[in-house]
Amino acid sequence: AIVRILAEHGERLEFADYIKQVAFAKNILSRAAEHKALNKVFTPAHWTDRLPEMLSLWSNVLEGWKTSPMTTYDFNNAYAEAESLTYTKYFQGMIVTGKADLLTPLNDATHGKPVFPLGLKAVWDRFDSLRSFLDQCGEPLTTSDLRVPSGELGNTCLMSAVKFGHFDKVAAIAKQSGEPLTMADYLSKDRDGYTLISILAEKNQLAQVFAPNLWAGRIADMRTLWSHVSVAQRGQVDFQQAETTAKQATLKQRKGGGINLQSH
């Protein structure tokens, strides 16, 4: 409520306001934790252009406070969104002429980790038009491009795209570039230790991951990746059917034929 009222008057709480101690009264950060309201304290829009302060304030959050609805994982997602909000305005002022523009830092990388447009939520939200333009320029994105780390949290653009809910776009890039996602990609971890495959499972997107057309000629890898899916989440996919279809596609591939499994 305090944050909302201040926002209505064009003001906002500063880092010092949250940790200021008056006599024996609890500070704002402590009270927010007590009332399970840390998610309101770390609302991404509230920290636009104040990323170092956001990180500093989180460092004052005690381990015992890091519970739902603001776990460390939740904070990192909130930070990624705040980072996107902070740098999107710089990207929006740019004229994109080719792929290099998406892989040029928006910040002064000599004083921090580089932030690339390709790692921003706003870019992935409007990615279809960007991809179409790059294709017309003869500079399509590749899977290798997506493996570039971006931002303070060190997530690859691939990891960020998946967290932002755009695995379908990642899969399309992989197919177009002829460079499929590898086991290393799927088992790569964010700073909280979550693998890409576990994040996709949480988003209920395993059916897209195990689409047979993605695994023709890679049945062994398909089985290995399936072994990393928790039993509780395996109901998202009829793996036996997916494997059978992928085997059929593999045989046709070896015979020199072709099949578009997306239409079957």
Side-chain angles (χ1 to χ4, degrees):
I2 294 175
V3 172
R4 177 178 56 78
I5 293 172
L6 287 173
E8 290 174 354
H9 292 82
E11 299 178 7
R12 58 187 180 181
L13 292 173
E14 303 295 336
F15 169 81
D17 296 322
Y18 285 104
I19 62 173
K20 184 178 180 180
Q21 194 78 36
V22 180
F24 296 104
K26 294 181 179 179
N27 60 33
I28 295 175
L29 187 64
S30 298
R31 294 203 303 271
E34 187 177 86
H35 293 283
K36 301 290 184 182
L38 285 177
N39 58 319
K40 293 182 172 59
V41 171
F42 292 101
T43 299
H46 181 60
W47 297 99
T48 302
D49 297 322
R50 300 194 299 164
L51 299 175
E53 286 185 66
M54 187 180 185
L55 287 172
S56 294
L57 187 61
W58 181 251
S59 70
N60 281 268
V61 175
L62 301 180
E63 286 301 318
W65 297 351
K66 297 175 182 178
T67 58
S68 181
M70 184 49 66
T71 62
T72 299
Y73 184 76
D74 295 323
F75 170 78
N76 286 340
N77 286 340
Y79 181 87
E81 187 170 345
E83 188 174 67
S84 185
L85 290 171
T86 295
Y87 288 103
T88 292
K89 57 180 175 291
Y90 299 113
F91 175 71
Q92 289 176 334
M94 290 173 52
I95 297 177
V96 177
T97 59
K99 180 167 69 172
D101 293 322
L102 296 181
L103 294 166
T104 299
L106 293 167
N107 60 335
D108 183 356
T110 60
H111 298 289
K113 297 180 181 178
V115 177
F116 299 106
L118 195 55
L120 301 180
K121 182 177 185 299
V123 170
W124 284 97
D125 287 345
R126 55 169 285 199
F127 190 73
D128 288 340
S129 59
L130 281 170
R131 182 187 174 201
S132 177
F133 172 75
L134 293 177
D135 287 349
Q136 291 174 17
C137 292
E139 297 184 4
L141 286 167
T142 66
T143 306
S144 295
D145 295 328
L146 302 184
R147 295 183 178 123
V148 176
S150 175
E152 186 63 32
L153 301 182
N155 288 329
T156 61
C157 295
L158 167 61
M159 179 72 75
S160 294
V162 168
K163 287 191 173 189
F164 296 147
H166 296 294
F167 178 74
D168 58 332
K169 295 178 175 62
V170 168
I173 290 171
K175 180 179 179 181
Q176 181 182 27
S177 66
E179 188 180 0
L181 296 183
T182 65
M183 287 293 297
D185 291 322
Y186 283 113
L187 299 181
S188 63
K189 298 179 180 180
D190 65 9
R191 63 188 260 160
D192 298 311
Y194 290 94
T195 62
L196 191 72
I197 188 65
S198 69
I199 293 170
L200 286 162
E202 286 296 325
K203 289 182 174 294
N204 199 35
Q205 294 182 325
L206 290 181
Q208 294 182 50
V209 174
F210 290 98
N213 62 302
L214 299 181
W215 298 97
R218 301 195 299 155
I219 304 302
D221 282 349
M222 185 182 188
R223 290 173 183 154
T224 300
L225 185 60
W226 183 247
S227 71
H228 288 273
V229 176
S230 68
V231 175
Q233 293 166 321
R234 291 187 175 185
Q236 296 179 35
V237 180
D238 182 342
F239 184 76
Q240 185 174 5
Q241 179 59 49
E243 183 183 23
T244 297
T245 308
K247 286 179 178 178
Q248 293 171 349
T250 299
L251 291 173
K252 288 180 180 278
Q253 188 181 77
R254 289 173 180 171
K255 292 177 180 178
I259 182 172
N260 181 1
L261 292 172
Q262 291 180 326
S263 63
H264 286 255

